[in-house]
Amino acid sequence: LSIGMDLLAELPVMLVDEPTTGLDASAALNVVETLIKLASDQHRTIICTIHQPPWSMVLQFDQLILLALGSLIYDGKPAGLPDFLRAGGSPAPTNENPADYIMNVLVSDGNSKWLALRGKSKDGPADNREFVHSQSLSDEQFQALVESDYPTSTFTQFRILFRRFGYVFLVDEEGFPDAFFPGLVVSAIIGGSFFQFGTNKYIAIAVLMMSVSHGMITLNAVVLNIPLERDLILREYRNGTYSVEAYWFARAAVSTCIALVMGPPLLCVVYPMVGLPADLHAILTVWASNTLNASIFAIIGCVIGVTCKTPLAAAQVPDPL
């Protein structure tokens, strides 16, 4: 029932707590296969805790995380767990489930050995502060980072959020097409309306219309996402994961990149149809001004998105403006 409610809400991130508890083997496998299909087909992030799963079921997950006494013991592909156990001197017996076996080992041996082993592995040092200190930071920088309210620097937060926002935009089945194809249609309409006007006083109207349409398309690509991200961003902020500065810097940077990428295709349609001079300096000037204008529109879209609680409310604001 909980999974069904999340599906109806179209949540991009799903937290599933022991979905197979109380189910027989066949039903449990069907549930896990459904979750995996949702993650791959609909690009959802699904975090699942699971109780005593068969090893064949564990192998279907993309990533396995093992925690013991609040510490991260293992983080990697499920198929790498047997090698991890062998490296720790406690190989799983041939006929035993490695996932169950390591739980028994952690209960009997504790987690110190496995933390040290993870520190020597390719995953990096086991202690987060040791890892941070190993990244070529001065003592002053390291101390400032340890005393801050966030586990990572603002730049690291920015980098992670930038990659996340960019990835979401690219894989969104509606985001990229909604931003790209309407732009081509509007560009064709503008080019047809001012077809081969050449350089005269009316050409300023065509350039203005092209700039405004580019800006509005970029704004619409941003404004609907902010209300959808509100709850997630607020939770991450309250949990001390990301700062407000990192979020807005990353959002503004992604919006600017969208404006940069969307500009040339639109320009390639309008520019030759209108009959503007085929001069490199003129082309770059028009492209730069359009990009700057679209970036400003995108930031305005971020502000509109913050003030609206739902995507529907956000979608109704830009048109009157």
Side-chain angles (χ1 to χ4, degrees):
L1 178 60
S2 298
I3 296 175
M5 292 174 64
D6 286 349
L7 293 178
L8 290 174
E10 297 184 350
L11 298 176
V13 179
M14 296 174 58
L15 304 178
V16 186
D17 184 21
E18 297 190 4
T20 60
T21 300
L23 301 179
D24 58 58
S26 177
L29 183 61
N30 287 335
V31 169
V32 171
E33 289 178 345
T34 299
L35 293 174
I36 293 172
K37 186 174 178 62
L38 287 171
S40 60
D41 294 352
Q42 300 185 14
H43 307 291
R44 297 173 187 255
T45 299
I46 299 179
I47 302 172
C48 176
T49 61
I50 197 163
H51 184 62
Q52 291 184 322
W55 183 239
S56 59
M57 183 184 295
V58 175
L59 290 173
Q60 296 188 52
F61 289 99
D62 296 321
Q63 189 173 11
L64 175 65
I65 293 177
L66 293 176
L67 301 174
L69 300 177
S71 300
L72 180 60
I73 302 298
Y74 180 81
D75 176 13
K77 298 292 183 182
L81 183 59
D83 293 335
F84 183 74
L85 286 168
R86 280 191 292 270
S90 302
T94 305
N95 297 324
E96 189 164 347
N97 184 343
D100 288 338
Y101 178 73
I102 193 171
M103 292 299 177
N104 295 329
V105 170
L106 289 172
V107 170
S108 59
D109 298 346
N111 63 355
S112 300
K113 177 178 71 173
W114 302 102
L115 281 173
L117 176 61
R118 184 175 184 274
K120 297 177 182 178
S121 71
K122 64 180 181 179
D123 296 300
D127 185 80
N128 186 54
R129 296 191 176 191
E130 177 189 344
F131 172 76
V132 172
H133 206 180
S134 68
Q135 303 304 301
S136 302
L137 296 178
S138 66
D139 292 338
E140 292 78 9
Q141 291 174 320
F142 171 69
Q143 188 63 30
L145 188 58
V146 169
E147 293 175 354
S148 70
D149 296 330
Y150 301 97
T152 56
S153 65
T154 302
F155 177 76
T156 301
Q157 298 173 41
F158 164 81
R159 181 170 53 82
I160 295 171
L161 289 170
F162 180 84
R163 292 178 58 187
R164 186 171 82 182
F165 294 150
Y167 176 79
V168 169
F169 177 76
L170 291 176
V171 302
D172 188 357
E173 295 180 354
E174 298 179 355
F176 182 77
D178 285 351
F180 184 73
F181 293 111
L184 291 181
V185 173
V186 172
S187 299
I189 294 174
I190 296 173
S193 301
F194 296 89
F195 186 73
Q196 296 301 318
F197 260 49
T199 305
N200 54 53
K201 61 181 180 180
Y202 299 104
I203 206 66
I205 301 176
V207 174
L208 176 62
M209 291 180 64
M210 176 175 61
S211 181
V212 172
S213 62
H214 185 194
M216 288 301 298
I217 290 169
T218 307
L219 183 149
N220 287 325
V222 175
V223 70
L224 300 181
N225 291 327
I226 305 297
L228 294 175
E229 297 171 355
R230 179 193 297 272
D231 292 340
L232 175 62
I233 294 300
L234 284 176
R235 182 164 63 247
E236 291 176 335
Y237 169 71
R238 290 164 180 164
N239 291 341
T241 306
Y242 300 118
S243 64
V244 174
E245 295 85 357
Y247 172 80
W248 284 114
F249 282 144
R251 172 54 67 189
V254 170
S255 301
T256 302
C257 290
I258 293 174
L260 284 169
V261 173
M262 300 298 293
L266 308 185
L267 197 61
C268 290
V269 174
V270 176
Y271 204 91
M273 292 182 68
V274 173
L276 290 170
D279 177 69
L280 180 60
H281 182 267
I283 294 173
L284 292 178
T285 301
V286 174
W287 175 61
S289 62
N290 277 0
T291 301
L292 178 60
N293 178 73
S295 300
I296 295 173
F297 270 74
I299 294 174
I300 294 173
C302 292
V303 175
I304 294 173
V306 169
T307 60
C308 300
K309 294 185 178 180
T310 64
L312 180 59
Q316 296 173 348
V317 176
D319 290 339
L321 293 178

